[in-house]
Amino acid sequence: LEALTAGATPTPEAVPPPGWRLHVNEVVRALINRNPREVLLRDDEPAAATALAPVLHLCRLRGVPVSYGREEVAAWGAVAAARMKD
């Protein structure tokens, strides 16, 4: 069974489109070093305010909009994602 799934192609919704940074570490780097267009978070606003307070603080400082409860971020296997500017 492992041999069959090892080379399996992920579903399109499980792969982020180009121009996205995934995972909290990459999102924080993007907020510090670049200027992302938006940040998407898997958690709802109250949970994110507790667990991701530093990320939200950086978003407020940089004026980057945040969207909460995003299912696509969970599908990508991440907690946070940042869409970079073109």
Side-chain angles (χ1 to χ4, degrees):
L1 183 62
E2 282 185 52
L4 294 176
T5 58
T9 303
T11 59
E13 61 273 0
V15 178
W20 285 87
R21 301 288 187 265
L22 296 183
H23 306 296
V24 174
N25 184 40
E26 290 300 317
V27 170
V28 169
R29 283 181 176 196
L31 286 164
I32 292 171
N33 297 320
R34 301 186 61 197
N35 193 18
R37 181 175 294 181
E38 66 179 324
V39 169
L40 307 182
L41 301 177
R42 178 186 69 193
D43 295 334
D44 61 13
E45 191 169 357
T50 301
L52 300 170
V55 173
L56 295 174
H57 179 71
L58 284 171
C59 288
R60 282 191 295 274
L61 286 175
R62 300 295 303 264
V64 176
V66 178
S67 184
Y68 301 93
R70 300 300 294 259
E71 292 180 13
E72 65 266 46
V73 176
W76 298 336
V79 174
R83 182 166 63 131
M84 305 309 295
K85 293 186 177 177
D86 301 330

